[in-house]
Amino acid sequence: MKVPVISRVGDSLTSRRGARIWAAGIFAVILVLFGALSSVQAPERSASSLVGHSDSAKVAQLIDANTSESKTSALLVASREDGQVLSIDDRATVDHQAEALSDAAKVVAGRTMASEDQQAAMVPLSWNSVSDEADRETLKAIRGWIQEHPSDGLQLQVTGSIAFAVDVTNAFAGADFTLLAVTVGIVAVLLILTYRSPVLWLIPLVVVALADRSASLVANLLGNAFDLHFDSGVLSVLVFGAGTNYALLLISRYRDELQQSDGHRQALSKAWAASFEAILTSNLTVVLALLTLSLAVMEDTRGLGIVCAAGLLIAAIFALFLLPPVLAMAGRKAFWPLIPLPGQEIKKENIFGRAARAVMTRPGLNLAALSVLLLVLASALTGTRIGLDQSQQFRTATESSTAMATLAEHFPAGETQPITVLAQDTDIDALRHGFAGVENVKRVGEASQLGNTQWQQFSVISEVDPSAAEAQGLVADLRDAAASSHAGQVLIGGQSAEQLDSHQMHLRDLYVIAPLIMMICFVMLGWLTRSWRTALALGVVNLLSAAAAVGLGSLVSSVVFEADALDVQVPLLAFVFLVALGVDYTIFLTQRVRQDAQALELHEAVALAASRTGSVITSAGLVLAGVFAALATLPLTVLGQLGLIVGLGVLLDTFVVRTLLLPALFAVLGTAKRPVFGHVSSPAEAAAGPSLQKESNINA
């Protein structure tokens, strides 16, 4: 009989000679990759929050193009450390410090402006802009001079857009190394607890670590080649989480086969063939889901999706083609002291199998109850606000956010960051009069010509904090007022407008990409189950689980991070990771149920599959939840919220959906006249069939 291709590849990977060739070949490729790409620097994080082709971006571009000198500005904020009123001497000290600072840092200091309550003062600082890097260096020089020349009793701080950008960069200084160390530590501890072996845990950890480093180098190459911006910390978390999951699945199947076979190489070959389809399906689902992010308008989302897709492909390649040869060369002794041997008694049923049997006694009722639980958790989304204030972006206080809070407390909210309006081919006086009547508008500035263009420029001062959600609502109201007045071309920009455009485009990306991801999951589940009815049911469960996780995460996030909203990036990224990664466990269990259902009645197949996959899926879920929890070590709220939501979602998938809901669902589907699974066997099943048949007979 002709041997299936997958079986031949498995034999090649695990044979005495083949394992050495595969391992040597892959290690040679790794050395070449490391040598060729180690000098490639990671692309810098994007310093601009502008959305391409948005009104706010057009305003910024027009002003830059029609201003003789490009200026960068910041605000020097002064207040007393004891919170008291600034005295005459204090204000004289501020003037003196501003003058000395302007000479030392080569900046222009404007007139000192005191607040009405006399508890704070601000001094505008400006300088000629050469490049983003030069602006950052100037800002560092300003802050450095202030630290070297303290003012007795006064607190001097610098804020503004450039200050926030520098604080973000400083917040990430060394953070990637910290995140990697925490991630490796979590994975190592969980692998040791899973395998209870002083040796075995090292093998998958080293393989996944090599995959992570390779993925980082390839990501740097892609980032520089295609001008992609991404967070390398999220990439490492994904590679470690998914790569470890693949390794856990393969080694778990390998352990089972070792209890059936005398030869460890034959057992590993069978385990590889039996696991190949589940790992491939899982990986392709996540990769394709991440690639849909390339359709995003927001460049940070687009870049992250592309490099993470490449990283997960690399993780699967290492798990499928490097891990087996290394395991083959290590042999059965790698499991010491709990070495699996042929003839060992196999537990007929563990707690996961008993849980599956329990919910299948009354599957309809249990399925309905669990679905209601998920719906209740998902309903928390109805009260979730999207969009953090600028001061909430950091989990810990920074100089820029503290100074901005001081300004908001003591100065009229909109004075520090006015809304900029450009208009042409319109009655400018009528437009200004109309804007003055819009709610939350404090006053409208005088109009002036922008350079030599036909554009007229004026400012709108709001009564609300320009970084708050109400300011975005004001920008929307101003745009509506301009549209309803049949004015000519009117563009509205400034910080509040930039935040609104970013918010709207992130939601646009969510509405466009989320359905595509669900379609991908549906197709992959259909291919795995060979039944579109079953695939649709599993897809709905996956969607409901993701919604429940985001709802639960939003509630917990409001307590943990003291934020009353989710960052605009969180919903889409959380949805992608929850749906694409959450479907992994559905795939792992479903593939095993389908294989065992070839020889057993459906209820028995589900209970057996739950017993056989329970430990590995639980371990994989804990690893994935743990590595995403490591994102909480980073200083940005968006990453903390993302890690929290995805971590909770993975645990929900692991202990509720996979353990209880899916067995009940399979039982309900099995009561219908149509089969739960199609009857097409894959090559992997054909290769693993005899072993599975023997295992089923033992456990029946």
Side-chain angles (χ1 to χ4, degrees), residues 141 192 200 218 323 439 455 477 487 491 503 532 550 562 609 619-620 632 672 698:
I192 291 172
L200 183 59
V218 171
L323 180 60
E439 185 180 3
W455 291 97
D477 291 341
L491 301 176
H503 180 90
W532 300 119
V550 178
E562 299 181 353
S619 299
I698 290 175

PDB file of all heavy atoms in Angstrom, residues 141 192 200 218 323 439 455 477 487 491 503 532 550 562 609 619-620 632 672 698:
ATOM      1  N   ALA A 141      16.986  68.127  26.102  1.00  0.00           N
ATOM      2  CA  ALA A 141      17.865  69.191  26.595  1.00  0.00           C
ATOM      3  C   ALA A 141      17.107  70.146  27.512  1.00  0.00           C
ATOM      4  O   ALA A 141      17.636  70.604  28.538  1.00  0.00           O
ATOM      5  CB  ALA A 141      18.464  69.947  25.410  1.00  0.00           C
ATOM      6  N   ILE A 192       7.573  23.361  33.157  1.00  0.00           N
ATOM      7  CA  ILE A 192       8.085  22.488  34.222  1.00  0.00           C
ATOM      8  C   ILE A 192       6.924  21.848  34.985  1.00  0.00           C
ATOM      9  O   ILE A 192       6.939  20.636  35.278  1.00  0.00           O
ATOM     10  CB  ILE A 192       8.986  23.297  35.178  1.00  0.00           C
ATOM     11  CG1 ILE A 192      10.279  23.706  34.467  1.00  0.00           C
ATOM     12  CG2 ILE A 192       9.323  22.473  36.418  1.00  0.00           C
ATOM     13  CD1 ILE A 192      11.147  24.657  35.269  1.00  0.00           C
ATOM     14  N   LEU A 200      12.810  17.824  29.827  1.00  0.00           N
ATOM     15  CA  LEU A 200      11.891  17.950  28.693  1.00  0.00           C
ATOM     16  C   LEU A 200      11.450  19.388  28.447  1.00  0.00           C
ATOM     17  O   LEU A 200      11.311  19.812  27.302  1.00  0.00           O
ATOM     18  CB  LEU A 200      10.664  17.059  28.920  1.00  0.00           C
ATOM     19  CG  LEU A 200       9.643  17.016  27.780  1.00  0.00           C
ATOM     20  CD1 LEU A 200      10.289  16.522  26.493  1.00  0.00           C
ATOM     21  CD2 LEU A 200       8.447  16.152  28.151  1.00  0.00           C
ATOM     22  N   VAL A 218      13.176  38.713  11.076  1.00  0.00           N
ATOM     23  CA  VAL A 218      12.376  38.818   9.853  1.00  0.00           C
ATOM     24  C   VAL A 218      11.436  40.022   9.947  1.00  0.00           C
ATOM     25  O   VAL A 218      11.225  40.741   8.963  1.00  0.00           O
ATOM     26  CB  VAL A 218      11.586  37.516   9.613  1.00  0.00           C
ATOM     27  CG1 VAL A 218      10.592  37.696   8.470  1.00  0.00           C
ATOM     28  CG2 VAL A 218      12.537  36.367   9.309  1.00  0.00           C
ATOM     29  N   LEU A 323      11.405  20.866  16.167  1.00  0.00           N
ATOM     30  CA  LEU A 323      11.113  20.176  17.424  1.00  0.00           C
ATOM     31  C   LEU A 323      11.121  18.649  17.271  1.00  0.00           C
ATOM     32  O   LEU A 323      11.733  17.966  18.112  1.00  0.00           O
ATOM     33  CB  LEU A 323       9.775  20.669  17.981  1.00  0.00           C
ATOM     34  CG  LEU A 323       9.316  20.041  19.299  1.00  0.00           C
ATOM     35  CD1 LEU A 323      10.327  20.312  20.406  1.00  0.00           C
ATOM     36  CD2 LEU A 323       7.935  20.577  19.691  1.00  0.00           C
ATOM     37  N   GLU A 439     -22.469  74.282  20.828  1.00  0.00           N
ATOM     38  CA  GLU A 439     -22.301  73.977  22.247  1.00  0.00           C
ATOM     39  C   GLU A 439     -20.846  73.623  22.560  1.00  0.00           C
ATOM     40  O   GLU A 439     -20.180  72.938  21.791  1.00  0.00           O
ATOM     41  CB  GLU A 439     -23.220  72.815  22.637  1.00  0.00           C
ATOM     42  CG  GLU A 439     -23.203  72.497  24.129  1.00  0.00           C
ATOM     43  CD  GLU A 439     -24.123  71.349  24.489  1.00  0.00           C
ATOM     44  OE1 GLU A 439     -24.733  70.770  23.560  1.00  0.00           O
ATOM     45  OE2 GLU A 439     -24.223  71.017  25.680  1.00  0.00           O
ATOM     46  N   TRP A 455      -6.672  79.635   1.377  1.00  0.00           N
ATOM     47  CA  TRP A 455      -7.209  79.147   2.648  1.00  0.00           C
ATOM     48  C   TRP A 455      -7.191  80.255   3.696  1.00  0.00           C
ATOM     49  O   TRP A 455      -6.219  80.998   3.814  1.00  0.00           O
ATOM     50  CB  TRP A 455      -6.392  77.961   3.166  1.00  0.00           C
ATOM     51  CG  TRP A 455      -6.528  76.713   2.350  1.00  0.00           C
ATOM     52  CD1 TRP A 455      -5.691  76.282   1.372  1.00  0.00           C
ATOM     53  CD2 TRP A 455      -7.570  75.747   2.453  1.00  0.00           C
ATOM     54  NE1 TRP A 455      -6.137  75.099   0.842  1.00  0.00           N
ATOM     55  CE2 TRP A 455      -7.304  74.739   1.498  1.00  0.00           C
ATOM     56  CE3 TRP A 455      -8.706  75.619   3.247  1.00  0.00           C
ATOM     57  CZ2 TRP A 455      -8.124  73.631   1.323  1.00  0.00           C
ATOM     58  CZ3 TRP A 455      -9.529  74.512   3.079  1.00  0.00           C
ATOM     59  CH2 TRP A 455      -9.237  73.539   2.131  1.00  0.00           C
ATOM     60  N   ASP A 477     -19.404  68.002  15.960  1.00  0.00           N
ATOM     61  CA  ASP A 477     -20.468  69.014  15.846  1.00  0.00           C
ATOM     62  C   ASP A 477     -20.040  70.141  14.908  1.00  0.00           C
ATOM     63  O   ASP A 477     -20.859  70.648  14.115  1.00  0.00           O
ATOM     64  CB  ASP A 477     -20.800  69.585  17.225  1.00  0.00           C
ATOM     65  CG  ASP A 477     -21.477  68.562  18.132  1.00  0.00           C
ATOM     66  OD1 ASP A 477     -21.999  67.566  17.595  1.00  0.00           O
ATOM     67  OD2 ASP A 477     -21.451  68.758  19.365  1.00  0.00           O
ATOM     68  N   ALA A 487     -21.317  75.492   3.347  1.00  0.00           N
ATOM     69  CA  ALA A 487     -20.077  76.249   3.180  1.00  0.00           C
ATOM     70  C   ALA A 487     -19.217  75.587   2.116  1.00  0.00           C
ATOM     71  O   ALA A 487     -19.491  74.477   1.655  1.00  0.00           O
ATOM     72  CB  ALA A 487     -19.339  76.314   4.519  1.00  0.00           C
ATOM     73  N   LEU A 491     -11.908  72.407   6.550  1.00  0.00           N
ATOM     74  CA  LEU A 491     -11.124  71.340   7.174  1.00  0.00           C
ATOM     75  C   LEU A 491     -10.890  71.693   8.628  1.00  0.00           C
ATOM     76  O   LEU A 491     -10.533  72.827   8.942  1.00  0.00           O
ATOM     77  CB  LEU A 491      -9.774  71.163   6.467  1.00  0.00           C
ATOM     78  CG  LEU A 491      -9.807  70.822   4.970  1.00  0.00           C
ATOM     79  CD1 LEU A 491      -8.399  70.790   4.402  1.00  0.00           C
ATOM     80  CD2 LEU A 491     -10.507  69.481   4.753  1.00  0.00           C
ATOM     81  N   HIS A 503     -10.039  57.631  16.180  1.00  0.00           N
ATOM     82  CA  HIS A 503     -11.120  56.836  16.763  1.00  0.00           C
ATOM     83  C   HIS A 503     -12.022  56.261  15.666  1.00  0.00           C
ATOM     84  O   HIS A 503     -12.344  55.061  15.663  1.00  0.00           O
ATOM     85  CB  HIS A 503     -11.930  57.722  17.705  1.00  0.00           C
ATOM     86  CG  HIS A 503     -13.080  57.034  18.376  1.00  0.00           C
ATOM     87  ND1 HIS A 503     -12.965  56.399  19.592  1.00  0.00           N
ATOM     88  CD2 HIS A 503     -14.373  56.871  17.992  1.00  0.00           C
ATOM     89  CE1 HIS A 503     -14.130  55.877  19.922  1.00  0.00           C
ATOM     90  NE2 HIS A 503     -15.003  56.164  18.976  1.00  0.00           N
ATOM     91  N   TRP A 532     -20.341  21.910   7.045  1.00  0.00           N
ATOM     92  CA  TRP A 532     -20.555  23.336   7.194  1.00  0.00           C
ATOM     93  C   TRP A 532     -21.527  23.634   8.330  1.00  0.00           C
ATOM     94  O   TRP A 532     -21.446  24.690   8.962  1.00  0.00           O
ATOM     95  CB  TRP A 532     -21.069  23.928   5.887  1.00  0.00           C
ATOM     96  CG  TRP A 532     -20.120  23.730   4.762  1.00  0.00           C
ATOM     97  CD1 TRP A 532     -20.322  23.049   3.600  1.00  0.00           C
ATOM     98  CD2 TRP A 532     -18.755  24.211   4.698  1.00  0.00           C
ATOM     99  NE1 TRP A 532     -19.182  23.068   2.815  1.00  0.00           N
ATOM    100  CE2 TRP A 532     -18.212  23.780   3.463  1.00  0.00           C
ATOM    101  CE3 TRP A 532     -17.948  24.954   5.560  1.00  0.00           C
ATOM    102  CZ2 TRP A 532     -16.911  24.067   3.082  1.00  0.00           C
ATOM    103  CZ3 TRP A 532     -16.652  25.235   5.181  1.00  0.00           C
ATOM    104  CH2 TRP A 532     -16.139  24.798   3.946  1.00  0.00           C
ATOM    105  N   VAL A 550     -14.311  40.105  25.851  1.00  0.00           N
ATOM    106  CA  VAL A 550     -14.126  41.560  25.783  1.00  0.00           C
ATOM    107  C   VAL A 550     -15.024  42.245  26.814  1.00  0.00           C
ATOM    108  O   VAL A 550     -14.611  43.208  27.481  1.00  0.00           O
ATOM    109  CB  VAL A 550     -14.419  42.089  24.363  1.00  0.00           C
ATOM    110  CG1 VAL A 550     -14.266  43.608  24.327  1.00  0.00           C
ATOM    111  CG2 VAL A 550     -13.476  41.453  23.352  1.00  0.00           C
ATOM    112  N   GLU A 562      -8.107  51.483  36.374  1.00  0.00           N
ATOM    113  CA  GLU A 562      -8.822  52.707  36.748  1.00  0.00           C
ATOM    114  C   GLU A 562      -9.118  53.564  35.516  1.00  0.00           C
ATOM    115  O   GLU A 562      -8.979  54.786  35.542  1.00  0.00           O
ATOM    116  CB  GLU A 562      -8.011  53.505  37.782  1.00  0.00           C
ATOM    117  CG  GLU A 562      -7.779  52.745  39.081  1.00  0.00           C
ATOM    118  CD  GLU A 562      -6.993  53.551  40.086  1.00  0.00           C
ATOM    119  OE1 GLU A 562      -6.512  54.641  39.716  1.00  0.00           O
ATOM    120  OE2 GLU A 562      -6.866  53.109  41.239  1.00  0.00           O
ATOM    121  N   ALA A 609     -11.986  12.127  23.721  1.00  0.00           N
ATOM    122  CA  ALA A 609     -11.210  13.265  23.217  1.00  0.00           C
ATOM    123  C   ALA A 609     -11.008  14.306  24.309  1.00  0.00           C
ATOM    124  O   ALA A 609      -9.925  14.898  24.431  1.00  0.00           O
ATOM    125  CB  ALA A 609     -11.918  13.885  22.017  1.00  0.00           C
ATOM    126  N   SER A 619      -2.990  23.187  29.753  1.00  0.00           N
ATOM    127  CA  SER A 619      -1.618  23.704  29.845  1.00  0.00           C
ATOM    128  C   SER A 619      -1.383  24.797  28.805  1.00  0.00           C
ATOM    129  O   SER A 619      -0.790  25.842  29.099  1.00  0.00           O
ATOM    130  CB  SER A 619      -0.613  22.566  29.642  1.00  0.00           C
ATOM    131  OG  SER A 619      -0.751  21.578  30.637  1.00  0.00           O
ATOM    132  N   ALA A 620      -1.850  24.545  27.569  1.00  0.00           N
ATOM    133  CA  ALA A 620      -1.675  25.535  26.508  1.00  0.00           C
ATOM    134  C   ALA A 620      -2.420  26.823  26.835  1.00  0.00           C
ATOM    135  O   ALA A 620      -1.911  27.928  26.604  1.00  0.00           O
ATOM    136  CB  ALA A 620      -2.166  24.962  25.180  1.00  0.00           C
ATOM    137  N   ALA A 632       1.182  43.203  30.849  1.00  0.00           N
ATOM    138  CA  ALA A 632       0.903  44.144  31.931  1.00  0.00           C
ATOM    139  C   ALA A 632       2.180  44.761  32.490  1.00  0.00           C
ATOM    140  O   ALA A 632       2.116  45.755  33.224  1.00  0.00           O
ATOM    141  CB  ALA A 632       0.125  43.455  33.051  1.00  0.00           C
ATOM    142  N   ALA A 672     -29.225  15.208  15.768  1.00  0.00           N
ATOM    143  CA  ALA A 672     -29.846  15.427  14.459  1.00  0.00           C
ATOM    144  C   ALA A 672     -29.570  14.237  13.544  1.00  0.00           C
ATOM    145  O   ALA A 672     -28.685  13.418  13.781  1.00  0.00           O
ATOM    146  CB  ALA A 672     -29.319  16.710  13.837  1.00  0.00           C
ATOM    147  N   ILE A 698      -8.666   0.115  23.916  1.00  0.00           N
ATOM    148  CA  ILE A 698      -8.193   0.012  25.294  1.00  0.00           C
ATOM    149  C   ILE A 698      -9.105   0.786  26.236  1.00  0.00           C
ATOM    150  O   ILE A 698      -9.407   0.352  27.340  1.00  0.00           O
ATOM    151  CB  ILE A 698      -6.746   0.534  25.400  1.00  0.00           C
ATOM    152  CG1 ILE A 698      -5.794  -0.439  24.710  1.00  0.00           C
ATOM    153  CG2 ILE A 698      -6.333   0.711  26.853  1.00  0.00           C
ATOM    154  CD1 ILE A 698      -4.372   0.049  24.649  1.00  0.00           C
TER     155      ILE A 698
END
